[in-house]
Amino acid sequence: MRPRSLLDVDDFSASELVSVLDRAVAFRESLPPRDLLAGVPVLNLFFEASTRTATSFTLAEQRVGADIISFAPGASSLGKGETINDTAITLSGIGVRLIVVRHNESGFARRLADCFDGHVVNAGDGTHAHPTQALLDLMTLRQEFGRFEGLRVAITGDILHSRVARSNIVGMRALGIDVTLVGPPTLLPPGFAGDGVRIERDFDAILPHVDAVMMLRIQRERIDVGLLPSLEDYTRRYQLNRARLRALRSDAVILHPGPYNRGVELTDEVLDDPRSRYVAQVRNGVFVRMAVLDALVNGAPVAA
Ligand code: NCD
């Protein structure tokens, strides 16, 4: 059997998710000894641009004492025509035990996990999944509300191209959160609706009723021309701005995975608003990633 990987949120059961989050909270309260992953060679393989995810993983790896190898995959033999299989055999032969991978192809993390004799953590694959982002969002929600069951969360924006939205839908549903997806039909096709997941085209109608709103940027690098005929129309309907902040409950919170596009999905006021939890999100990201590394390499903690 292959070592355990985290390719999407549902690689953990609901009780495992909760115990990984509990562990992350414990790490936030007091850092663990630095030997949790002592001597474990971890490779960071980011084929796609990343600021917060890459730095957050690196800091998490340092905090648990892993041996970190970071290299620019542009320089890898994959670019010279080597197959992913041969690269994976080489990396495990060298002694790499865990790979954190980001790639613009949906399913790349799974392809790597299928041939790598070690753990793989998906740090974002195309439009498919970004499980550690969803975990840090869940951690931030629980920090705020002390529970998941029955919370109402709106995810607004370019859902179609968002791996963050997909992984959050999986995690939120597993933990009993009520999800409303908000966006125009071109960026949010009807097929996204499902059990506990509904679609709302009218952002103003839903805003006063949610505990949290997660704003997503438009993924320009993945978008087909024509899916967004008018940016002006989009911002008029879906931008979180001063007027819409007034409609949001005083005890609601605003999440954003970053990077922001100021003036598109949000205005400057949003980031200054006391309900904005962006800093808590990125801070929690380090602890969640420490807990994920620990769970995969040392065995998932048993649910309390
Ligand atoms: C996201 C990503 O790369 O999927 N950012 C992140 O990891 N925090 C979201 C995005 O690119 O919009």
Side-chain angles (χ1 to χ4, degrees):
M1 219 176 73
R2 291 231 178 257
R4 200 164 184 198
S5 289
L6 179 65
L7 307 178
D8 201 354
V9 177
D10 56 5
D11 285 321
F12 287 138
S13 69
S15 64
E16 284 173 338
L17 284 176
V18 170
S19 47
V20 167
L21 295 179
D22 287 344
R23 195 115 168 100
V25 171
F27 291 165
R28 189 177 62 207
E29 276 156 16
S30 98
L31 284 176
R34 272 190 180 253
D35 60 359
L36 276 182
L37 261 73
V40 177
V42 171
L43 173 68
N44 292 317
L45 198 56
F46 280 68
F47 291 87
E48 222 186 44
S50 173
T51 308
R52 59 220 93 209
T53 304
T55 47
S56 175
F57 265 110
T58 306
L59 185 56
E61 291 153 7
Q62 283 171 359
R63 293 254 192 267
V64 294
D67 287 347
I68 305 166
I69 313 157
S70 293
F71 88 120
S76 77
S77 292
L78 277 171
K80 295 185 195 167
E82 184 169 84
T83 67
I84 184 170
N85 195 34
D86 292 335
T87 300
I89 290 168
T90 302
L91 292 172
S92 64
I94 285 169
V96 172
R97 283 190 50 205
L98 186 147
I99 300 177
V100 176
V101 66
R102 169 171 285 199
H103 198 281
N104 66 4
E105 178 189 311
S106 300
F108 189 88
R110 176 166 305 279
R111 281 176 58 207
L112 182 62
D114 284 345
C115 53
F116 174 62
D117 188 19
H119 312 273
V120 173
V121 180
N122 184 5
D125 62 329
T127 61
H128 169 241
H130 191 351
T132 59
Q133 176 67 42
L135 284 168
L136 74 88
D137 292 330
L138 291 166
M139 182 175 175
T140 308
L141 287 171
R142 197 177 63 166
Q143 183 176 8
E144 200 61 39
F145 299 103
R147 66 186 168 98
F148 294 119
E149 194 66 46
L151 284 182
R152 290 190 72 182
V153 178
I155 307 178
T156 303
D158 181 3
I159 312 286
L160 180 62
H161 301 99
S162 175
R163 55 197 178 202
V164 174
R166 276 186 183 74
S167 285
N168 262 298
I169 293 168
V170 174
M172 288 178 182
R173 287 312 298 140
L175 297 170
I177 295 178
D178 215 48
V179 182
T180 304
L181 304 175
V182 188
T186 49
L187 301 180
L188 170 55
F192 274 88
D195 181 35
V197 184
R198 66 189 191 96
I199 287 181
E200 173 63 64
R201 304 289 176 200
D202 183 352
F203 195 19
D204 296 299
I206 187 82
L207 261 181
H209 306 294
V210 294
D211 299 293
V213 58
M214 178 183 293
M215 300 305 300
L216 300 175
R217 76 182 172 96
I218 293 172
Q219 305 257 326
R220 291 173 193 276
E221 71 276 31
R222 306 188 211 281
I223 210 162
D224 285 334
V225 188
L227 283 184
L228 191 67
S230 159
L231 190 60
E232 202 188 329
D233 187 54
Y234 177 84
T235 55
R236 192 169 52 75
R237 288 169 193 270
Y238 298 110
Q239 182 184 67
L240 190 56
N241 53 25
R242 194 190 297 267
R244 292 201 170 101
L245 283 173
R246 281 198 290 272
L248 192 64
R249 284 203 329 248
S250 60
D251 62 344
V253 295
I254 303 160
L255 304 177
H256 197 306
Y260 319 121
N261 287 161
R262 290 176 188 252
V264 184
E265 76 274 12
L266 47 71
T267 55
D268 293 342
E269 296 90 346
V270 175
L271 299 166
D272 299 332
D273 192 281
R275 293 165 291 184
S276 188
R277 289 293 177 273
Y278 172 68
V279 176
Q281 288 176 274
V282 287
R283 182 169 139 74
N284 285 336
V286 178
F287 302 112
V288 141
R289 291 175 174 122
M290 290 167 65
V292 165
L293 295 169
D294 183 32
L296 295 179
V297 173
N298 298 323
V302 179

